[in-house]
Amino acid sequence: MTNSEWWRTATVYQIYPKSFCDSGNKGTGDLQGIISKLDYLQKLGVDALWLTPVYKSPMIDNGYDIADYYSINPDFGTMTDFDELLAQAKSRGIRIIMDIVVNHTSTEHHWFQSALGNKESEYRDYYIWKDPVDGKEPTNWQSKFGGNAWALDEVTNQYYLHLFAKEQADLNWENPKVRQEVKEIISFWAEKGIDGFRLDVINLISKQQEYLNDDIGDGRRFYTDGPKVHQYLQEISQAVFQKYGSVTVGEMSSTTLEHCQQYSAQDGKELSMVFNFHHLKADYKDGDKWTKAPFDFLSLKSIFNHWQTGLNGNGWGALFWCNHDQPRVVSRLGNDQEYRELSAKMLASSVHMMQGTPYIYQGEEIGMTNPHYTSIEQYRDLESTNMFDIMVNQDQSVSESEMLEILDQKSRDNSRTPMQWNRSANAGFSKGLPWISVADNYKEINAQQAVEDKSSAFYFYQKLIQLRKNIDVITTGNYKDLLPEHNELFCYQRENKTHRLIAIHNYYKNEVGLNLDVEGRDAEYILSNYEDMEEEKPQSNLVLRPYECRVILIKK
Ligand code: TEU
């Protein structure tokens, strides 16, 4: 393994700056707030921080609508604050990964402002414009946030494409000038000493040029993993990523294993790794996010199996449950009432023992839960409020109370509540009124309490991070599901030339018995979420307690 592959044994911590720590009383987090928490992050042991966008932005989509790629949003601080963060992180051995959003820009970006209403603008062709068809939108493609994906420029009577909000106009990657701009943006940040980039919805950048109506879907098949996406990534990679030795993480929307093998083929031609979401659709009823449904355990395991075996030797993936778009996993697949700590740890172990690079989302390490909001006024995310408006007011397909239950399970705001630092007002997040309400449970669940309690989830995550660094089979081992049909246990094996590792996870609150072939060999427990376990010797007859996990290492 070369030094440039540090990320194979690393763990990344994701920060959503708006909700992480406010150094003052604005009610929104900032860069100085992050700096003040670097010691905490160092104690946890993470290798790198991924910051969601901190660039100048009207914040319609909390920074995923960039108005200027070269400056810091004043709400977060200044470029001097940013440089200080970078230096302070480096001095603690922590690297920085920036979020780059180049599928689209904010409609406030000067390129779009110049292009809007002016067919002659030098920036007109930076975006995707189409004439009306029969006086209407050029295609029936749907925005990911609801409604049609085209918006009208009344002055020129042409539509522009926006796969996300109408304030996020898609860039035209067919235009070489756009690709040149992207290279310059990335070089600017790489020159500053950034170690890597997380590329937002990067598999959507190449659209099929026919712009056809989609008779069987929402249009995604015409732009997902599109015709020139690999070519474009290779071009950017050669020009900038390879030059700077950057780690690159591509966020992949509705992708396939075959494409991900190519995106992350370990030849350095495209990306270092992929970040995909298939396992997080295990609680989508018939693939529809906007439903309230229990998760399908067998399907969850089979998705992991497909990706773990498919990427092994052919690519590299991110391992994660939580991010700023996903509900809290302990509320989603665990039990945030009776077994919060135990189930949070068990879930952590179930992805951290796989092959890939783990990502911890702020607050996950202390077992933060969904806030369980009870009124639509508490939600801030445009996707949640749009879907509420569409489903409750326009289509009337669900009642208000049903929609609130769906949002309680699915809203992106579930993960965007302020980080819970301590028992003081606003959970120690801000001295002012937070932009989004803190979860009520912050007096019991907070970082201070977790750091004081040696048996907390915080130390469990700390241990997971260390195990990955010390035990090679966690990085290199082949993966095999030992009990794919089991209805309660997720039990897989990792194996390389010298070791076998068996990770067993009980996803439910019933006790479950199991017979395993581990006796008579040099076997030891290296991890468990029940305190009495680690002293024991592994036996072939096991009884797994509620949400119990055990990891056994066997020398060959
Ligand atoms: O998300 C892309 C994406 O497709 C989702 O995870 C999205 O949140 C989901 O489909 C909604 O149901 C990325 C960012 O992570 C997200 O925060 C941005 O809103 C989005 O791109 C647009 O930039």
PDB file of all heavy atoms in Angstrom, residues 13-22 28-30 33-38 40-41 49 362-363 365 416-421 427-430 435:
ATOM      1  N   TYR A  13     -14.859  11.563   8.973  1.00  0.00           N
ATOM      2  CA  TYR A  13     -15.944  12.120   9.794  1.00  0.00           C
ATOM      3  C   TYR A  13     -16.604  13.226   8.985  1.00  0.00           C
ATOM      4  O   TYR A  13     -15.932  14.149   8.521  1.00  0.00           O
ATOM      5  CB  TYR A  13     -15.346  12.686  11.078  1.00  0.00           C
ATOM      6  CG  TYR A  13     -16.349  13.155  12.121  1.00  0.00           C
ATOM      7  CD1 TYR A  13     -16.828  12.282  13.095  1.00  0.00           C
ATOM      8  CD2 TYR A  13     -16.797  14.479  12.146  1.00  0.00           C
ATOM      9  CE1 TYR A  13     -17.719  12.712  14.071  1.00  0.00           C
ATOM     10  CE2 TYR A  13     -17.697  14.913  13.123  1.00  0.00           C
ATOM     11  CZ  TYR A  13     -18.144  14.020  14.080  1.00  0.00           C
ATOM     12  OH  TYR A  13     -19.029  14.451  15.055  1.00  0.00           O
ATOM     13  N   GLN A  14     -17.900  13.116   8.810  1.00  0.00           N
ATOM     14  CA  GLN A  14     -18.611  14.132   8.016  1.00  0.00           C
ATOM     15  C   GLN A  14     -19.175  15.228   8.905  1.00  0.00           C
ATOM     16  O   GLN A  14     -19.879  14.959   9.882  1.00  0.00           O
ATOM     17  CB  GLN A  14     -19.745  13.499   7.217  1.00  0.00           C
ATOM     18  CG  GLN A  14     -20.425  14.523   6.305  1.00  0.00           C
ATOM     19  CD  GLN A  14     -21.758  14.099   5.765  1.00  0.00           C
ATOM     20  OE1 GLN A  14     -22.138  12.932   5.863  1.00  0.00           O
ATOM     21  NE2 GLN A  14     -22.497  15.050   5.212  1.00  0.00           N
ATOM     22  N   ILE A  15     -18.890  16.464   8.508  1.00  0.00           N
ATOM     23  CA  ILE A  15     -19.418  17.621   9.246  1.00  0.00           C
ATOM     24  C   ILE A  15     -20.413  18.374   8.375  1.00  0.00           C
ATOM     25  O   ILE A  15     -20.138  18.666   7.205  1.00  0.00           O
ATOM     26  CB  ILE A  15     -18.265  18.558   9.665  1.00  0.00           C
ATOM     27  CG1 ILE A  15     -17.400  17.837  10.703  1.00  0.00           C
ATOM     28  CG2 ILE A  15     -18.797  19.874  10.228  1.00  0.00           C
ATOM     29  CD1 ILE A  15     -16.313  18.686  11.312  1.00  0.00           C
ATOM     30  N   TYR A  16     -21.561  18.652   8.947  1.00  0.00           N
ATOM     31  CA  TYR A  16     -22.566  19.504   8.298  1.00  0.00           C
ATOM     32  C   TYR A  16     -22.454  20.849   9.023  1.00  0.00           C
ATOM     33  O   TYR A  16     -23.037  21.044  10.094  1.00  0.00           O
ATOM     34  CB  TYR A  16     -23.936  18.878   8.505  1.00  0.00           C
ATOM     35  CG  TYR A  16     -25.020  19.409   7.592  1.00  0.00           C
ATOM     36  CD1 TYR A  16     -24.949  19.200   6.217  1.00  0.00           C
ATOM     37  CD2 TYR A  16     -26.121  20.093   8.098  1.00  0.00           C
ATOM     38  CE1 TYR A  16     -25.947  19.661   5.376  1.00  0.00           C
ATOM     39  CE2 TYR A  16     -27.122  20.551   7.252  1.00  0.00           C
ATOM     40  CZ  TYR A  16     -27.029  20.330   5.898  1.00  0.00           C
ATOM     41  OH  TYR A  16     -28.023  20.786   5.064  1.00  0.00           O
ATOM     42  N   PRO A  17     -21.632  21.760   8.489  1.00  0.00           N
ATOM     43  CA  PRO A  17     -21.201  22.916   9.289  1.00  0.00           C
ATOM     44  C   PRO A  17     -22.354  23.744   9.874  1.00  0.00           C
ATOM     45  O   PRO A  17     -22.238  24.248  10.992  1.00  0.00           O
ATOM     46  CB  PRO A  17     -20.382  23.744   8.289  1.00  0.00           C
ATOM     47  CG  PRO A  17     -19.869  22.734   7.316  1.00  0.00           C
ATOM     48  CD  PRO A  17     -20.977  21.721   7.181  1.00  0.00           C
ATOM     49  N   LYS A  18     -23.447  23.820   9.154  1.00  0.00           N
ATOM     50  CA  LYS A  18     -24.547  24.662   9.648  1.00  0.00           C
ATOM     51  C   LYS A  18     -25.076  24.167  10.993  1.00  0.00           C
ATOM     52  O   LYS A  18     -25.605  24.946  11.789  1.00  0.00           O
ATOM     53  CB  LYS A  18     -25.664  24.675   8.598  1.00  0.00           C
ATOM     54  CG  LYS A  18     -26.734  25.715   8.862  1.00  0.00           C
ATOM     55  CD  LYS A  18     -27.709  25.844   7.695  1.00  0.00           C
ATOM     56  CE  LYS A  18     -28.726  26.941   7.993  1.00  0.00           C
ATOM     57  NZ  LYS A  18     -29.720  27.087   6.922  1.00  0.00           N
ATOM     58  N   SER A  19     -24.942  22.865  11.240  1.00  0.00           N
ATOM     59  CA  SER A  19     -25.505  22.279  12.461  1.00  0.00           C
ATOM     60  C   SER A  19     -24.453  21.741  13.420  1.00  0.00           C
ATOM     61  O   SER A  19     -24.785  21.000  14.342  1.00  0.00           O
ATOM     62  CB  SER A  19     -26.446  21.123  12.085  1.00  0.00           C
ATOM     63  OG  SER A  19     -27.488  21.590  11.280  1.00  0.00           O
ATOM     64  N   PHE A  20     -23.187  22.089  13.210  1.00  0.00           N
ATOM     65  CA  PHE A  20     -22.145  21.454  14.028  1.00  0.00           C
ATOM     66  C   PHE A  20     -21.838  22.270  15.287  1.00  0.00           C
ATOM     67  O   PHE A  20     -22.053  21.798  16.407  1.00  0.00           O
ATOM     68  CB  PHE A  20     -20.881  21.244  13.186  1.00  0.00           C
ATOM     69  CG  PHE A  20     -19.860  20.365  13.855  1.00  0.00           C
ATOM     70  CD1 PHE A  20     -20.147  19.046  14.163  1.00  0.00           C
ATOM     71  CD2 PHE A  20     -18.596  20.846  14.156  1.00  0.00           C
ATOM     72  CE1 PHE A  20     -19.202  18.224  14.776  1.00  0.00           C
ATOM     73  CE2 PHE A  20     -17.641  20.037  14.768  1.00  0.00           C
ATOM     74  CZ  PHE A  20     -17.948  18.722  15.080  1.00  0.00           C
ATOM     75  N   CYS A  21     -21.354  23.488  15.121  1.00  0.00           N
ATOM     76  CA  CYS A  21     -21.059  24.291  16.308  1.00  0.00           C
ATOM     77  C   CYS A  21     -20.991  25.764  15.921  1.00  0.00           C
ATOM     78  O   CYS A  21     -20.261  26.128  14.991  1.00  0.00           O
ATOM     79  CB  CYS A  21     -19.735  23.841  16.922  1.00  0.00           C
ATOM     80  SG  CYS A  21     -19.297  24.805  18.370  1.00  0.00           S
ATOM     81  N   ASP A  22     -21.744  26.575  16.627  1.00  0.00           N
ATOM     82  CA  ASP A  22     -21.774  28.019  16.377  1.00  0.00           C
ATOM     83  C   ASP A  22     -20.827  28.680  17.375  1.00  0.00           C
ATOM     84  O   ASP A  22     -21.019  28.565  18.588  1.00  0.00           O
ATOM     85  CB  ASP A  22     -23.223  28.502  16.585  1.00  0.00           C
ATOM     86  CG  ASP A  22     -23.371  30.010  16.439  1.00  0.00           C
ATOM     87  OD1 ASP A  22     -22.408  30.674  16.019  1.00  0.00           O
ATOM     88  OD2 ASP A  22     -24.477  30.510  16.755  1.00  0.00           O
ATOM     89  N   THR A  28     -26.446  29.456  13.738  1.00  0.00           N
ATOM     90  CA  THR A  28     -25.944  28.554  12.699  1.00  0.00           C
ATOM     91  C   THR A  28     -24.458  28.307  12.960  1.00  0.00           C
ATOM     92  O   THR A  28     -23.736  29.210  13.390  1.00  0.00           O
ATOM     93  CB  THR A  28     -26.090  29.163  11.286  1.00  0.00           C
ATOM     94  OG1 THR A  28     -25.460  30.437  11.248  1.00  0.00           O
ATOM     95  CG2 THR A  28     -27.549  29.301  10.881  1.00  0.00           C
ATOM     96  N   GLY A  29     -24.026  27.108  12.651  1.00  0.00           N
ATOM     97  CA  GLY A  29     -22.632  26.733  12.907  1.00  0.00           C
ATOM     98  C   GLY A  29     -21.666  27.443  11.974  1.00  0.00           C
ATOM     99  O   GLY A  29     -22.069  28.022  10.959  1.00  0.00           O
ATOM    100  N   ASP A  30     -20.366  27.389  12.308  1.00  0.00           N
ATOM    101  CA  ASP A  30     -19.379  28.092  11.486  1.00  0.00           C
ATOM    102  C   ASP A  30     -18.001  27.433  11.610  1.00  0.00           C
ATOM    103  O   ASP A  30     -17.813  26.468  12.364  1.00  0.00           O
ATOM    104  CB  ASP A  30     -19.320  29.583  11.864  1.00  0.00           C
ATOM    105  CG  ASP A  30     -19.155  29.780  13.364  1.00  0.00           C
ATOM    106  OD1 ASP A  30     -18.460  28.957  13.989  1.00  0.00           O
ATOM    107  OD2 ASP A  30     -19.732  30.741  13.909  1.00  0.00           O
ATOM    108  N   GLY A  33     -16.348  27.422  14.937  1.00  0.00           N
ATOM    109  CA  GLY A  33     -16.983  26.374  15.758  1.00  0.00           C
ATOM    110  C   GLY A  33     -16.327  25.019  15.506  1.00  0.00           C
ATOM    111  O   GLY A  33     -16.048  24.261  16.441  1.00  0.00           O
ATOM    112  N   ILE A  34     -16.060  24.729  14.238  1.00  0.00           N
ATOM    113  CA  ILE A  34     -15.406  23.441  13.923  1.00  0.00           C
ATOM    114  C   ILE A  34     -14.010  23.409  14.554  1.00  0.00           C
ATOM    115  O   ILE A  34     -13.616  22.413  15.176  1.00  0.00           O
ATOM    116  CB  ILE A  34     -15.306  23.223  12.396  1.00  0.00           C
ATOM    117  CG1 ILE A  34     -16.703  23.216  11.780  1.00  0.00           C
ATOM    118  CG2 ILE A  34     -14.564  21.922  12.086  1.00  0.00           C
ATOM    119  CD1 ILE A  34     -16.716  23.123  10.256  1.00  0.00           C
ATOM    120  N   ILE A  35     -13.274  24.516  14.413  1.00  0.00           N
ATOM    121  CA  ILE A  35     -11.911  24.568  14.980  1.00  0.00           C
ATOM    122  C   ILE A  35     -11.965  24.257  16.482  1.00  0.00           C
ATOM    123  O   ILE A  35     -11.138  23.508  17.006  1.00  0.00           O
ATOM    124  CB  ILE A  35     -11.263  25.949  14.706  1.00  0.00           C
ATOM    125  CG1 ILE A  35     -11.032  26.124  13.204  1.00  0.00           C
ATOM    126  CG2 ILE A  35      -9.953  26.108  15.488  1.00  0.00           C
ATOM    127  CD1 ILE A  35     -10.591  27.519  12.770  1.00  0.00           C
ATOM    128  N   SER A  36     -12.983  24.799  17.153  1.00  0.00           N
ATOM    129  CA  SER A  36     -13.055  24.607  18.606  1.00  0.00           C
ATOM    130  C   SER A  36     -13.327  23.146  18.985  1.00  0.00           C
ATOM    131  O   SER A  36     -13.183  22.778  20.158  1.00  0.00           O
ATOM    132  CB  SER A  36     -14.132  25.515  19.204  1.00  0.00           C
ATOM    133  OG  SER A  36     -15.415  25.026  18.870  1.00  0.00           O
ATOM    134  N   LYS A  37     -13.717  22.328  18.008  1.00  0.00           N
ATOM    135  CA  LYS A  37     -14.027  20.921  18.317  1.00  0.00           C
ATOM    136  C   LYS A  37     -12.997  19.952  17.751  1.00  0.00           C
ATOM    137  O   LYS A  37     -13.202  18.732  17.772  1.00  0.00           O
ATOM    138  CB  LYS A  37     -15.421  20.562  17.779  1.00  0.00           C
ATOM    139  CG  LYS A  37     -16.550  21.386  18.371  1.00  0.00           C
ATOM    140  CD  LYS A  37     -16.670  21.202  19.889  1.00  0.00           C
ATOM    141  CE  LYS A  37     -17.824  22.012  20.457  1.00  0.00           C
ATOM    142  NZ  LYS A  37     -17.840  21.985  21.944  1.00  0.00           N
ATOM    143  N   LEU A  38     -11.887  20.477  17.258  1.00  0.00           N
ATOM    144  CA  LEU A  38     -10.895  19.573  16.655  1.00  0.00           C
ATOM    145  C   LEU A  38     -10.277  18.624  17.683  1.00  0.00           C
ATOM    146  O   LEU A  38      -9.965  17.473  17.357  1.00  0.00           O
ATOM    147  CB  LEU A  38      -9.798  20.371  15.948  1.00  0.00           C
ATOM    148  CG  LEU A  38     -10.224  21.022  14.621  1.00  0.00           C
ATOM    149  CD1 LEU A  38      -9.110  21.925  14.102  1.00  0.00           C
ATOM    150  CD2 LEU A  38     -10.590  19.972  13.577  1.00  0.00           C
ATOM    151  N   TYR A  40     -11.774  17.277  20.175  1.00  0.00           N
ATOM    152  CA  TYR A  40     -12.769  16.202  20.335  1.00  0.00           C
ATOM    153  C   TYR A  40     -12.639  15.189  19.185  1.00  0.00           C
ATOM    154  O   TYR A  40     -12.642  13.974  19.401  1.00  0.00           O
ATOM    155  CB  TYR A  40     -14.162  16.843  20.363  1.00  0.00           C
ATOM    156  CG  TYR A  40     -15.326  15.889  20.225  1.00  0.00           C
ATOM    157  CD1 TYR A  40     -15.824  15.194  21.329  1.00  0.00           C
ATOM    158  CD2 TYR A  40     -15.955  15.701  18.985  1.00  0.00           C
ATOM    159  CE1 TYR A  40     -16.915  14.342  21.200  1.00  0.00           C
ATOM    160  CE2 TYR A  40     -17.040  14.852  18.851  1.00  0.00           C
ATOM    161  CZ  TYR A  40     -17.518  14.167  19.960  1.00  0.00           C
ATOM    162  OH  TYR A  40     -18.590  13.327  19.829  1.00  0.00           O
ATOM    163  N   LEU A  41     -12.479  15.703  17.969  1.00  0.00           N
ATOM    164  CA  LEU A  41     -12.393  14.822  16.795  1.00  0.00           C
ATOM    165  C   LEU A  41     -11.083  14.030  16.802  1.00  0.00           C
ATOM    166  O   LEU A  41     -11.032  12.874  16.400  1.00  0.00           O
ATOM    167  CB  LEU A  41     -12.537  15.642  15.510  1.00  0.00           C
ATOM    168  CG  LEU A  41     -13.902  16.334  15.405  1.00  0.00           C
ATOM    169  CD1 LEU A  41     -13.914  17.353  14.278  1.00  0.00           C
ATOM    170  CD2 LEU A  41     -15.014  15.300  15.193  1.00  0.00           C
ATOM    171  N   LEU A  49     -11.767  14.910   7.684  1.00  0.00           N
ATOM    172  CA  LEU A  49     -13.089  15.525   7.820  1.00  0.00           C
ATOM    173  C   LEU A  49     -13.609  15.826   6.431  1.00  0.00           C
ATOM    174  O   LEU A  49     -12.885  16.365   5.599  1.00  0.00           O
ATOM    175  CB  LEU A  49     -12.998  16.854   8.591  1.00  0.00           C
ATOM    176  CG  LEU A  49     -12.338  16.817   9.955  1.00  0.00           C
ATOM    177  CD1 LEU A  49     -12.317  18.229  10.555  1.00  0.00           C
ATOM    178  CD2 LEU A  49     -13.078  15.849  10.878  1.00  0.00           C
ATOM    179  N   GLN A 362     -21.574  13.385  11.863  1.00  0.00           N
ATOM    180  CA  GLN A 362     -21.595  14.081  13.150  1.00  0.00           C
ATOM    181  C   GLN A 362     -22.777  13.658  14.033  1.00  0.00           C
ATOM    182  O   GLN A 362     -23.929  13.663  13.597  1.00  0.00           O
ATOM    183  CB  GLN A 362     -21.628  15.601  12.935  1.00  0.00           C
ATOM    184  CG  GLN A 362     -22.870  16.129  12.259  1.00  0.00           C
ATOM    185  CD  GLN A 362     -22.788  17.635  11.988  1.00  0.00           C
ATOM    186  OE1 GLN A 362     -21.799  18.143  11.499  1.00  0.00           O
ATOM    187  NE2 GLN A 362     -23.851  18.359  12.310  1.00  0.00           N
ATOM    188  N   GLY A 363     -22.469  13.288  15.258  1.00  0.00           N
ATOM    189  CA  GLY A 363     -23.522  12.893  16.200  1.00  0.00           C
ATOM    190  C   GLY A 363     -23.796  11.403  16.208  1.00  0.00           C
ATOM    191  O   GLY A 363     -24.301  10.854  17.188  1.00  0.00           O
ATOM    192  N   GLU A 365     -21.606   9.182  16.432  1.00  0.00           N
ATOM    193  CA  GLU A 365     -20.689   8.586  17.410  1.00  0.00           C
ATOM    194  C   GLU A 365     -21.191   8.713  18.843  1.00  0.00           C
ATOM    195  O   GLU A 365     -20.619   8.109  19.746  1.00  0.00           O
ATOM    196  CB  GLU A 365     -19.282   9.201  17.270  1.00  0.00           C
ATOM    197  CG  GLU A 365     -19.097  10.601  17.864  1.00  0.00           C
ATOM    198  CD  GLU A 365     -19.635  11.733  16.995  1.00  0.00           C
ATOM    199  OE1 GLU A 365     -20.359  11.448  16.020  1.00  0.00           O
ATOM    200  OE2 GLU A 365     -19.355  12.913  17.302  1.00  0.00           O
ATOM    201  N   ARG A 416     -30.207  16.729  10.516  1.00  0.00           N
ATOM    202  CA  ARG A 416     -29.665  18.092  10.445  1.00  0.00           C
ATOM    203  C   ARG A 416     -29.899  18.890  11.717  1.00  0.00           C
ATOM    204  O   ARG A 416     -29.641  20.090  11.765  1.00  0.00           O
ATOM    205  CB  ARG A 416     -30.274  18.812   9.238  1.00  0.00           C
ATOM    206  CG  ARG A 416     -29.912  18.121   7.943  1.00  0.00           C
ATOM    207  CD  ARG A 416     -30.524  18.767   6.724  1.00  0.00           C
ATOM    208  NE  ARG A 416     -30.116  18.056   5.513  1.00  0.00           N
ATOM    209  CZ  ARG A 416     -30.407  18.439   4.288  1.00  0.00           C
ATOM    210  NH1 ARG A 416     -31.129  19.528   4.080  1.00  0.00           N
ATOM    211  NH2 ARG A 416     -29.988  17.738   3.250  1.00  0.00           N
ATOM    212  N   THR A 417     -30.424  18.250  12.750  1.00  0.00           N
ATOM    213  CA  THR A 417     -30.639  18.961  14.011  1.00  0.00           C
ATOM    214  C   THR A 417     -29.274  19.273  14.625  1.00  0.00           C
ATOM    215  O   THR A 417     -28.281  18.601  14.328  1.00  0.00           O
ATOM    216  CB  THR A 417     -31.471  18.106  14.986  1.00  0.00           C
ATOM    217  OG1 THR A 417     -30.733  16.920  15.276  1.00  0.00           O
ATOM    218  CG2 THR A 417     -32.817  17.744  14.387  1.00  0.00           C
ATOM    219  N   PRO A 418     -29.201  20.314  15.462  1.00  0.00           N
ATOM    220  CA  PRO A 418     -27.904  20.711  16.003  1.00  0.00           C
ATOM    221  C   PRO A 418     -27.189  19.580  16.748  1.00  0.00           C
ATOM    222  O   PRO A 418     -27.815  18.800  17.469  1.00  0.00           O
ATOM    223  CB  PRO A 418     -28.260  21.844  16.963  1.00  0.00           C
ATOM    224  CG  PRO A 418     -29.502  22.424  16.373  1.00  0.00           C
ATOM    225  CD  PRO A 418     -30.275  21.243  15.851  1.00  0.00           C
ATOM    226  N   MET A 419     -25.886  19.538  16.541  1.00  0.00           N
ATOM    227  CA  MET A 419     -25.035  18.589  17.264  1.00  0.00           C
ATOM    228  C   MET A 419     -25.235  18.827  18.762  1.00  0.00           C
ATOM    229  O   MET A 419     -25.236  19.971  19.234  1.00  0.00           O
ATOM    230  CB  MET A 419     -23.581  18.825  16.858  1.00  0.00           C
ATOM    231  CG  MET A 419     -22.570  17.999  17.597  1.00  0.00           C
ATOM    232  SD  MET A 419     -22.639  16.241  17.143  1.00  0.00           S
ATOM    233  CE  MET A 419     -21.464  15.588  18.333  1.00  0.00           C
ATOM    234  N   GLN A 420     -25.380  17.723  19.503  1.00  0.00           N
ATOM    235  CA  GLN A 420     -25.655  17.824  20.945  1.00  0.00           C
ATOM    236  C   GLN A 420     -24.342  17.732  21.717  1.00  0.00           C
ATOM    237  O   GLN A 420     -23.783  16.648  21.888  1.00  0.00           O
ATOM    238  CB  GLN A 420     -26.674  16.738  21.323  1.00  0.00           C
ATOM    239  CG  GLN A 420     -28.012  17.002  20.634  1.00  0.00           C
ATOM    240  CD  GLN A 420     -29.018  15.870  20.642  1.00  0.00           C
ATOM    241  OE1 GLN A 420     -29.896  15.843  19.779  1.00  0.00           O
ATOM    242  NE2 GLN A 420     -28.914  14.948  21.575  1.00  0.00           N
ATOM    243  N   TRP A 421     -23.869  18.891  22.163  1.00  0.00           N
ATOM    244  CA  TRP A 421     -22.552  18.939  22.813  1.00  0.00           C
ATOM    245  C   TRP A 421     -22.631  18.714  24.313  1.00  0.00           C
ATOM    246  O   TRP A 421     -21.784  18.069  24.899  1.00  0.00           O
ATOM    247  CB  TRP A 421     -21.849  20.275  22.522  1.00  0.00           C
ATOM    248  CG  TRP A 421     -21.453  20.380  21.089  1.00  0.00           C
ATOM    249  CD1 TRP A 421     -22.022  21.174  20.120  1.00  0.00           C
ATOM    250  CD2 TRP A 421     -20.415  19.638  20.427  1.00  0.00           C
ATOM    251  NE1 TRP A 421     -21.407  20.967  18.910  1.00  0.00           N
ATOM    252  CE2 TRP A 421     -20.413  20.029  19.074  1.00  0.00           C
ATOM    253  CE3 TRP A 421     -19.496  18.686  20.850  1.00  0.00           C
ATOM    254  CZ2 TRP A 421     -19.520  19.493  18.138  1.00  0.00           C
ATOM    255  CZ3 TRP A 421     -18.603  18.150  19.921  1.00  0.00           C
ATOM    256  CH2 TRP A 421     -18.629  18.555  18.593  1.00  0.00           C
ATOM    257  N   ALA A 427     -28.307  22.693  23.691  1.00  0.00           N
ATOM    258  CA  ALA A 427     -27.354  21.564  23.662  1.00  0.00           C
ATOM    259  C   ALA A 427     -25.908  22.029  23.496  1.00  0.00           C
ATOM    260  O   ALA A 427     -25.051  21.265  23.039  1.00  0.00           O
ATOM    261  CB  ALA A 427     -27.731  20.574  22.545  1.00  0.00           C
ATOM    262  N   GLY A 428     -25.648  23.289  23.852  1.00  0.00           N
ATOM    263  CA  GLY A 428     -24.278  23.805  23.726  1.00  0.00           C
ATOM    264  C   GLY A 428     -23.879  24.086  22.282  1.00  0.00           C
ATOM    265  O   GLY A 428     -22.727  24.407  22.004  1.00  0.00           O
ATOM    266  N   PHE A 429     -24.856  24.008  21.373  1.00  0.00           N
ATOM    267  CA  PHE A 429     -24.558  24.229  19.945  1.00  0.00           C
ATOM    268  C   PHE A 429     -24.376  25.715  19.639  1.00  0.00           C
ATOM    269  O   PHE A 429     -23.510  26.103  18.844  1.00  0.00           O
ATOM    270  CB  PHE A 429     -25.695  23.635  19.102  1.00  0.00           C
ATOM    271  CG  PHE A 429     -25.801  24.190  17.707  1.00  0.00           C
ATOM    272  CD1 PHE A 429     -24.843  23.866  16.752  1.00  0.00           C
ATOM    273  CD2 PHE A 429     -26.844  25.039  17.342  1.00  0.00           C
ATOM    274  CE1 PHE A 429     -24.932  24.377  15.458  1.00  0.00           C
ATOM    275  CE2 PHE A 429     -26.938  25.547  16.059  1.00  0.00           C
ATOM    276  CZ  PHE A 429     -25.975  25.214  15.110  1.00  0.00           C
ATOM    277  N   SER A 430     -25.197  26.555  20.267  1.00  0.00           N
ATOM    278  CA  SER A 430     -25.161  27.992  19.970  1.00  0.00           C
ATOM    279  C   SER A 430     -25.678  28.761  21.173  1.00  0.00           C
ATOM    280  O   SER A 430     -26.512  28.253  21.927  1.00  0.00           O
ATOM    281  CB  SER A 430     -26.056  28.273  18.765  1.00  0.00           C
ATOM    282  OG  SER A 430     -26.210  29.658  18.578  1.00  0.00           O
ATOM    283  N   TRP A 435     -31.125  27.482  14.176  1.00  0.00           N
ATOM    284  CA  TRP A 435     -31.928  27.610  12.940  1.00  0.00           C
ATOM    285  C   TRP A 435     -32.933  26.484  12.795  1.00  0.00           C
ATOM    286  O   TRP A 435     -33.926  26.609  12.101  1.00  0.00           O
ATOM    287  CB  TRP A 435     -31.005  27.657  11.717  1.00  0.00           C
ATOM    288  CG  TRP A 435     -30.304  26.356  11.406  1.00  0.00           C
ATOM    289  CD1 TRP A 435     -29.202  25.849  12.031  1.00  0.00           C
ATOM    290  CD2 TRP A 435     -30.678  25.393  10.408  1.00  0.00           C
ATOM    291  NE1 TRP A 435     -28.849  24.640  11.486  1.00  0.00           N
ATOM    292  CE2 TRP A 435     -29.732  24.329  10.477  1.00  0.00           C
ATOM    293  CE3 TRP A 435     -31.692  25.321   9.450  1.00  0.00           C
ATOM    294  CZ2 TRP A 435     -29.790  23.215   9.650  1.00  0.00           C
ATOM    295  CZ3 TRP A 435     -31.749  24.202   8.624  1.00  0.00           C
ATOM    296  CH2 TRP A 435     -30.813  23.161   8.722  1.00  0.00           C
TER     297      TRP A 435
END
